[in-house]
């Protein structure tokens, strides 16, 4: 399933069913994330067999949700042949020129492999999962939205504790522009919910958080615009946050 940014095609690989819980979120990465992946992920250039190309295609490998009982009534079969970490490892093997049986491919693939982490879940388990994904071959990570620099620092500390070394692959830290009547990702702090209820614009809250993240050393983010209940996205609000933060 490809996602598009202008004329740039980004494959999203999902090892589970067709309702990935991150798919709505990842579709919102286009304005910020994929436009700059080639410049900032620092994936090693690969000299492939086709006319000496040195480019690598970026892929994000995520897990999907289980099928609902209603969906299973339509004779849809759920497939769990791979975990997302297992598929990252298999993709890394293809980059090394091996297929799933360990046999040699005619030519290695040139894929820059990304994995996802959800800091709305227990940090300890997500840190262990992130370590596994990096060891399996993930060359960059993206996160569900976070709401303070403290979340980032805590995760990085746990990663280093589990791995025995600092996290050394690029991380794109998620930040959502909230709206009072829209969809949200992750556990929104009560203080932010109260601000929204009192009339504080979500763009103001996001600008404050982004400013704090940048001051904390973050140099890679993706910005999730407000998502209305009907599915519409307010990209102007996201652009407003970027202008307010960076001019």
């Amino acid at each position: 399933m490809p996602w598009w940014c202008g004329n740039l095609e980004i494959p999203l690989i999902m090892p589970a069913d067709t309702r990935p819980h991150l798919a709505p979120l990842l579709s919102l990465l286009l304005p910020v994330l994929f436009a700059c992946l080639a410049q900032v992920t620092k994936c090693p250039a690969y000299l492939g067999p086709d006319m000496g190309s040195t480019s690598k295609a970026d892929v994000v490998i995520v897990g999907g949700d289980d099928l609902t009982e209603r969906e299973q009534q339509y004779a849809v079969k759920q497939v769990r042949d791979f975990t997302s970490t297992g598929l990252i490892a298999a993709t890394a093997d293809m980059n090394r020129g091996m297929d799933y049986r360990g046999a040699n491919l005619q030519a290695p693939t040139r894929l820059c492999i990304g994995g996802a982490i959800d800091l709305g879940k227990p940090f300890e388990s997500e840190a262990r999962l992130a370590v596994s994904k990096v060891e399996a071959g993930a060359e960059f990570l993206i996160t569900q939205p976070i709401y303070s620099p403290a979340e980032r620092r805590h995760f990085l500390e746990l990663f280093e504790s589990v791995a025995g070394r600092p996290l050394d692959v690029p991380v794109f830290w998620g930040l959502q522009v909230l709206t009072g009547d829209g969809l949200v990702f992750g556990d929104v702090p009560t203080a932010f919910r109260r601000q929204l209820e009192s009339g504080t614009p979500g763009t103001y809250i996001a600008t404050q958080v982004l400013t704090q993240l940048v001051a904390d050393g973050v140099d890679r983010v993706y910005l999730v615009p407000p998502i209305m209940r009907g599915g519409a996205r307010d990209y102007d609000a996201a652009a407003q946050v970027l202008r307010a933060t960076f001019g």
Side-chain angles (χ1 to χ4, degrees), residues 41-62:
T41 56
K42 299 180 180 177
C43 286
Y46 182 87
L47 185 61
D50 51 342
M51 302 180 66
S53 172
T54 59
S55 64
K56 295 182 74 174
D58 300 299
V59 296
V60 179
I61 298 177
V62 301

Side-chain angles (χ1 to χ4, degrees), residues 71-108:
E71 288 167 333
Q72 294 181 45
Q73 293 175 358
Y74 295 98
V76 178
K77 183 180 179 181
Q78 184 163 289
V79 178
R80 291 286 184 184
D81 290 345
F82 279 97
T83 63
S84 56
T85 304
L87 190 52
I88 287 172
T91 307
D93 282 342
M94 292 194 299
N95 279 347
R96 290 188 287 267
M98 296 184 299
D99 68 12
Y100 69 98
R101 299 165 299 179
N104 292 330
L105 299 172
Q106 288 186 345

Side-chain angles (χ1 to χ4, degrees), residues 1-3 10-14 20 22-23 26 58-62:
M1 178 184 295
W3 302 86
I10 306 294
L12 172 63
I13 299 179
M14 298 170 292
L22 287 179
L26 291 172
D58 300 299
V59 296
V60 179
I61 298 177
V62 301

Side-chain angles (χ1 to χ4, degrees), residues 178-180 188 191-202 205:
L178 301 171
T179 182
V188 179
F192 288 171
R193 291 187 181 276
R194 289 176 178 169
Q195 284 182 280
L196 289 171
E197 292 169 358
S198 67
T200 302
I205 297 172

Side-chain angles (χ1 to χ4, degrees), residues 120-185:
K121 297 179 179 178
F123 277 43
E124 293 80 3
S125 60
E126 288 301 294
R128 290 192 295 270
L129 183 60
V131 171
S132 296
K133 289 184 176 183
V134 171
E135 291 178 346
E139 298 170 85
F140 67 94
L141 299 172
I142 62 173
T143 78
Q144 287 270 28
I146 62 174
Y147 296 97
S148 78
E151 293 178 83
R152 169 182 172 269
R153 290 194 298 268
H154 183 43
F155 171 76
L156 292 177
E157 290 170 357
L158 287 172
F159 182 98
E160 184 170 357
S161 175
V162 173
R165 58 178 174 79
L167 178 59
D168 58 359
V169 302
V171 179
F172 291 85
W173 303 94
L175 173 61
Q176 184 174 11
V177 184
L178 301 171
T179 182
D181 58 351
L183 301 176
V184 298
F185 296 97

